Amino acid sequence: MTDFFFERFNINKHLSGLGFSSRASPAALLAKFKQTWETIIQESGAEHNWNRQIGHTSIPSYLQSILDIFVKEQAAANNSTETGLCTELFFNDDILDHLITLSQNDVPVGYRSEVIRFTSNLIGLIHHRFLFSHCIHKPISRLINACFTSRDLKYHESMLELEVNLCTKIESSPELLPLFFNIPKESNSASTFGLLDHVMKYVHSDKANGDRARTACPILFALASEGDDLEAFILKHDYPLMLVVGLSGLYAQLPTVMPDADRMLDIESSLAARRVFNTDLQSFLDYVLFLQKILYTCSSKKISQRILYNVQTIFLSTVLAASINSCSDFDGTTLTTLFYIQQLVTLIDEPHLSEIFVKLLISSEDDDDIIRSSDDEMRLGIRDILISKLNSLSEEVVTSTLLLFYTLMRDHPTYSFKLLFEKLPREQPVVDRMALDHDVDIQQHLQLVARYFALLPRDSGKQASLDAYIYDAEAGFSSLRARAQSDRIDLEDLFQSKPDPVSSNANEAFVLTSPVRVVSNGSTIAPQSKESFREQATRVRTDPTLYKIMTKFENLFSHSMKINVAMTGVLQQLVMSPYPVLYASVVDGDATLSDPETIAPSFYHVITKLMGEIDERRESLPGFDIKLAACKAKMLESEKSGNDSEWSKHEERLNGQRLSDATGRYFGDLDLDQEFLKNVVVLEEFIKELLAVIVTRGGMEYDHISYL
């Protein structure tokens, strides 16, 4: 720590400039300290400095010299709490208070900002116990209050830096909080907390000021406890509402159409617009992370409840829902909105925020346990809108929708599966175990593996081996377990929440319900009867959403390769579902098939049908196998070279070289035979991926699986 302060304040340079070496005696330091302070007083009152900038005077260098002397004293002290002669004089003579008084008129110009920076450095330098001295914390409080009430914005940047340093001290020593949070003894007087008031004033700002405010804010919110005065102060001033209003404002600033979708702009203008767009988007996403940090660190359940309630009713159910309802597939607005939602789905990981967000997107009227907003029709329409996008005429919209569903199931499995597939049982998902929770004969499982193994292409060429897919499947299941385990342990206390008893609005009694608990490793579950499991599997296969997805899979060769790559990602998540009954339904469900028009077929049924289409095309297309091998080699080479990066796609769009624009409309000739061959490669790779998940989920030990 001493080395840090020597480096920061350049002690040797400044002390030598004062006329003594770094090994000066305490008496010499004290003499120089007195001389420096007297010089500051003289310079502050000198008439020739009144119209000058503070940088053109010697005051800043003398203020820095005082800090250097403090560093020297700390370096010579036996411990960090020992007080040197200069430090005692600084305290006893209320020098900090005098400095603030001298600078209150900001003469010379910039004097107040210089004193604020000096105070900020002083807070970072001294031991936290010195802040308990009235000659330190009272001047700091006076400085904060004066800055908060001032309309002059030139002090606020340095003031926010001071407040970040002060919050860091309070975070390490929470007993400092009452020094700056004034709680009056009289019941008819209101509490005051200038530090939090000033920080909240800038949480919506951009650039450095906003970053500083968003650094200090979570620290202060984390100090609020259940039923204490700080919690009441935050709720009384509606600071949770203010936080969410800022989130809504940043989202409203984002364009409804991404810059690369506007073909009216030239290349230079598009790139400039893209840079502005990236900056605004990053500001919005950073604010989401800031809000999540508050939810993670705040120990007050009432504050967390109020934040979540406002997020649901103001941002999600009003702002975001309105943008979803008003977008169109053919002007780029749908694609842009799906992109924003995709970013949020990827970013949000706080369990309760995740729950209300996922429920807004894909909940239905049958989900009775969902906390609904005042506009139920809008909420219910969002799910229908998103599912309808699977049949959009825009390739990009369909692809983005599939990617959204894939990310929902991958990153939010606890809520997404049971909401997306309404026929799933409302029991807890089995995340910790890969095998089914009903008796499965090993021979039956081996037959299932052999059944899908027979579908593998005989010549894999240079494509990914089955071993690589098995490795990916194992990593995916491990990630699923780790996410569930982390959610259960880290936020267990927060989940045990009650409604807000002081809320004047019944709707504001937003209850933090516990996320679904997973089964711990090693625990036992009563086996489910085969008859009961079969009934559930049959019911699941009548799910309308599952039927739409499997029907889309049946028409794989009617889609572009881009759509099929996204679709197979969704199918892979179905097989990795924490619901064993869903896994059994899509992998081995043909025995329950009674009405193909209403019941979703299994993967095996669909794949065999698609293999038949491949055989038909092989007979009608000359040189099919040779062209397929060339297509595989070309796709592999393209993947290695990375020619299809997102930035290259963006540049091609700007130059008008791509077959489709950002709305997914084609404006050129498409080689249908080549697209068919690409889809064959996608199907073959998905079969490998599917088999790898089946092998891994069955818990089989394997040494090596080779192609026949």
Side-chain angles (χ1 to χ4, degrees), residues 494-508:
L494 185 60
F495 296 156
Q496 301 171 356
S497 179
K498 303 296 182 183
D500 186 352
V502 300
S503 175
S504 58
N505 188 338
N507 289 332
E508 293 187 12

Side-chain angles (χ1 to χ4, degrees), residues 43-61:
E43 288 287 315
S44 300
E47 292 186 13
H48 64 274
N49 285 331
W50 288 357
N51 296 323
R52 302 173 68 184
Q53 295 287 333
I54 190 67
H56 296 158
T57 70
S58 58
I59 294 177
S61 63

Side-chain angles (χ1 to χ4, degrees), residues 166-208:
L166 182 59
C167 287
T168 303
K169 290 288 185 180
I170 296 176
E171 182 181 27
S172 60
S173 303
E175 61 271 16
L176 292 172
L177 178 63
L179 301 178
F180 304 95
F181 179 35
N182 181 29
I183 305 174
K185 297 180 180 179
E186 300 80 8
S187 58
N188 58 347
S189 300
S191 302
T192 58
F193 195 7
L195 175 59
L196 180 58
D197 291 336
H198 189 253
V199 166
M200 289 300 299
K201 188 177 179 179
Y202 286 89
V203 291
H204 303 154
S205 301
D206 56 359
K207 299 182 180 179

Side-chain angles (χ1 to χ4, degrees), residues 127-139:
H127 191 273
H128 69 84
R129 76 178 183 90
F130 293 131
L131 288 171
F132 285 99
S133 174
H134 71 278
C135 60
I136 298 295
H137 70 78
K138 284 189 176 181

Side-chain angles (χ1 to χ4, degrees), residues 104-138:
Q104 64 183 357
N105 294 325
D106 200 31
V107 177
V109 179
Y111 197 0
R112 173 51 64 97
S113 296
E114 194 65 36
V115 170
I116 293 174
R117 282 190 288 270
F118 168 82
T119 308
S120 177
N121 291 331
L122 179 68
I123 293 172
L125 173 63
I126 62 178
H127 191 273
H128 69 84
R129 76 178 183 90
F130 293 131
L131 288 171
F132 285 99
S133 174
H134 71 278
C135 60
I136 298 295
H137 70 78
K138 284 189 176 181

Side-chain angles (χ1 to χ4, degrees), residues 251 254-261 274 277-282 284-285 320 323-324 327 332-347 357 361 386 396-397 399-404 407 646 653 662:
Y251 182 82
L254 296 174
T256 57
V257 179
M258 287 189 289
D260 56 354
R274 186 71 180 185
F277 169 76
N278 288 338
T279 301
D280 292 342
L281 177 63
Q282 192 59 50
F284 171 70
L285 297 179
L320 185 62
S323 67
I324 295 174
C327 59
T333 54
T334 295
L335 188 62
T336 303
T337 302
L338 289 173
F339 172 75
Y340 295 150
I341 296 175
Q342 175 78 17
Q343 295 296 309
L344 288 172
V345 170
T346 305
L347 194 64
F357 181 48
L361 294 177
L386 291 177
E396 294 282 352
V397 170
T399 304
S400 297
T401 305
L402 288 168
L403 288 175
L404 175 60
T407 310
E646 288 301 319
R653 284 197 190 107

